Amino acid sequence: MMEEMDRTETVLDVVAEVSGRNRSEVTLEQDLVADLEIDSPKALQLLVQIEEKLEIEIPDEAAARFEKVRDLVEFVT
């Protein structure tokens, strides 16, 4: 199983890729919608990529509660 730090880095990398930001610009405190402009299609893409890379499944109920990058990181770690 991946280490917690690796999982965090993976999430941050995917968030940067899907949002079109540089990895250095993505922080845990950013709001997925307001700060990173992750709309519904991008959110789906984000979740699918994280699930594939980390080999996990994120339930819809959990995904619906993700507001900040930190929420996503906390879920996968």
Side-chain angles (χ1 to χ4, degrees):
M1 186 143 167
M2 266 190 178
E3 293 298 318
E4 195 172 307
M5 198 66 199
D6 293 342
R7 286 175 166 267
T8 299
E9 290 303 316
T10 299
V11 169
L12 294 173
D13 290 344
V14 174
V15 169
E17 182 183 329
V18 171
S19 67
R21 301 294 199 287
N22 285 326
R23 169 59 185 80
S24 61
E25 295 174 30
V26 177
T27 69
L28 293 175
E29 296 309 315
Q30 286 176 308
D31 188 285
L32 294 168
V33 176
D35 298 327
L36 298 172
E37 299 170 355
I38 306 262
D39 55 14
S40 294
K42 284 183 180 177
L44 182 61
Q45 179 186 356
L46 179 70
L47 295 173
V48 168
Q49 284 189 33
I50 289 171
E51 288 177 329
E52 288 174 358
K53 288 179 192 253
L54 298 180
E55 299 177 352
I56 61 170
E57 190 168 314
I58 301 172
D60 292 340
E61 310 81 60
R65 292 193 302 266
F66 299 148
E67 292 181 14
K68 295 191 178 296
V69 176
R70 177 181 304 286
D71 299 332
L72 195 47
V73 169
E74 286 175 354
F75 180 85
V76 303
T77 56

